[in-house]
Structures are given as structure tokens and as C-alpha cells.
Amino acid sequence: MNLRKTINSIGLADWLLMAIFVIIPLAGMVFINSIISSGSDVVIEIEGMDKYRYPLSDDRVVNIKSSHGSLNVEIRGRKVRVTEASCANKLCERQGWLDKGAIICLPNRISITVGGPQEPKDRTVDAITG
Amino acid sequence: MQSQDRYRIALLSAYALALHGFESLIPMPIPWLRAGLSNIIALTTLVLFGFRAAMMVTLTRVMLASLLTGSFLGPSFILSLGGGVSSVAASGLVLRVLPNIFGTVGISLIGAFFHNISQLLIAYLLFIQKIEPVLIIAPFLILLGTVTGFVNGLVAGILVRNLKNSGSKIQNSNK
């Protein structure tokens, strides 16, 4: 009944199986994380409605205009950033390069999201403040 | 089926049911996560009394537990049933095909792995129907299943050894 005897009774095959069942999920975690979290498209929404969609793999600079102001958005090397904003505090510029997540420019009512190829259909903005 | 087998299955099912009820008292970081303590009984039954007895014990345990908690034919019952049956089936198959390679720990690990895989598959097919959340959660579940499977296998090993040593009565009436 003592513990050492019990642990000694675990065979080599058991330990190997244990190692396999530890390595598979760890590898799976890394693999799935790399697939899911980094998006493939940049989605730009203006005032919650108009949408532009650019693949992250193509480098480009675009100028986005809304009725409140404009942004320059640069896509390079699977990352996206805002290079020039017409607003006062330039929070979006300071956010720098992004390969996942979102840049939200409230003064200009523009949001830049790095997302997957498919988009949830019923996602709308409830309200905008600020 | 001999009457002695029936008594034995009833007794083992009662043990499994008690452990099943007891483990819901153990606090877990995620509410639907379970340690699978009743699989200790299923595994011990499998090793000592064969595949059929183990399957009977598991089925009885799942049915009675769902009746007692009021989740009969509900989602948790379906998940519990699928996990239990596939885990016993996989363990029994391994014990039959490769009888002397794995100890109780190895068999328990295989059982835990198939338990999780089948539950994820059932959850995907019947309830979630989106592949991303299932894929995200799968590695965590399998890893935790490996940990609990290891511990359950150790305990089952102790049980098997002690039952073999103590009971010539139990052994003689086997089959």
C-alpha cells in the first residue's frame, strides 16, 4: 500500500504513454493558438457600418475617411498600424503594430480589427460614446 | 450471468455511484470539470472481472447517477454516457489486444483520453457545432484528463493488488 512501491509498479510503457499524452495536448495548444489567434484579414468599420476588408498578407497603405475625420492605415509584414490620425490625442497611432486584436479610433468612429476570414453576421455596435 | 456476478456488479456499481456523487463535492476550477473518480471502479472491474462487468458497472453508474441528479436524458447524461462507454471500450480493447504491456496507469490514461475525445466529439456534434471553441478547449481537457487519469490509474493499481492478495474467494468465482 505504500506510495513508493506503487510508483515503482508503473511500467515503462505507462510512462511513455504518459509522456505522449502530455506532449500531444501541449503541442496542440501551441498549434491551435497559432492558427486561431492571428487573424488573416484586416476589417475596417466606419461608424459601425461601412466595411473595408484587406488581407493581412498584402502590404498597402490606405486612407480611411469618415464624417468625423480620417486615418492612414498601413499594412505591412502581416501587421497593421495607424500612421496618421486626424484626431487630437493620437491614441491609435501610439498603439503601434498589431497582428491581433483591434485599434479603435473613437473620435473618428473608425475601428480596425484583425479577424479571421469569416465574420459573425449579427455583430453590430450598440452605442458609441466619447 | 451467474448470480454471484450480479451481486458483484451491483456492489461495484454502488461503489462507483458513491464516488461519482462524492466527487461533485470536490471543488474544481471549472464547474463542469470532474476528476472521474468512478473510473477507478470501472478500471478495477475491468482488470479483475473482465470487459462485460466493467461495461455493466459503468452503464449502471451513469444511469443511476443521472436519475439521482435529475439529469436523465439531458446533455450531461449524454456526455457522461458517451464518455463512460467509450472509455471502457477503449480500455477493454487495449487490455485485450496488448494484455501485458500496460499497467493500470497506462490503461487509465487511454481510458481518460478516449473519455475526453468522445465527449468533445459529442459536444461538438450535438451542442456546440462550432469547431473553434472545441479546438481551443480540447488540449486543456486532454492534459487535465492525463493528470486525473494518472492518479486514478495509481489508485486502481493499489485496489487491484489488494483485492488479488486478499480475496481467493473473489478470484475463484471469476467467470
Side-chain angles (χ1 to χ4, degrees), chain B residues 13-60:
Chain B
S13 301
Y15 288 146
L17 189 59
L19 281 177
H20 186 104
F22 171 71
E23 80 181 349
S24 61
L25 299 176
I26 304 171
M28 278 286 176
I30 318 167
W32 34 259
L33 194 73
R34 300 179 71 96
L37 294 179
S38 56
N39 292 323
I40 295 171
I41 302 296
L43 184 58
T44 310
T45 313
L46 181 72
V47 173
L48 288 180
F49 307 118
F51 174 74
R52 266 178 144 189
M55 195 56 105
M56 280 296 289
V57 167
T58 302
L59 287 176
T60 313

Side-chain angles (χ1 to χ4, degrees), chain A residues 1-3 5-7 9-11 13-15 17-18 21-26 28-29 32 36 118, chain B residues 101-107 109-110 113 132 135-136 138-140 142-143 146-147 150 154 158 161-162:
Chain A
M1 184 74 195
N2 64 12
L3 195 64
K5 209 165 127 193
T6 310
I7 287 173
S9 73
I10 303 172
D14 295 333
W15 285 119
L17 205 63
M18 179 85 185
F21 283 146
V22 169
I23 291 167
I24 288 178
L26 286 179
M29 263 179 224
I32 288 165
I36 292 206
Q118 78 271 20
Chain B
I101 291 182
F102 297 116
T104 49
V105 171
I107 298 165
L109 286 173
I110 289 165
F113 180 72
E132 288 94 349
L135 279 181
I136 289 171
F140 291 100
I142 294 169
L143 198 61
T146 305
V147 175
F150 181 79
L154 271 185
I158 296 170
R161 224 184 4 259
N162 280 281

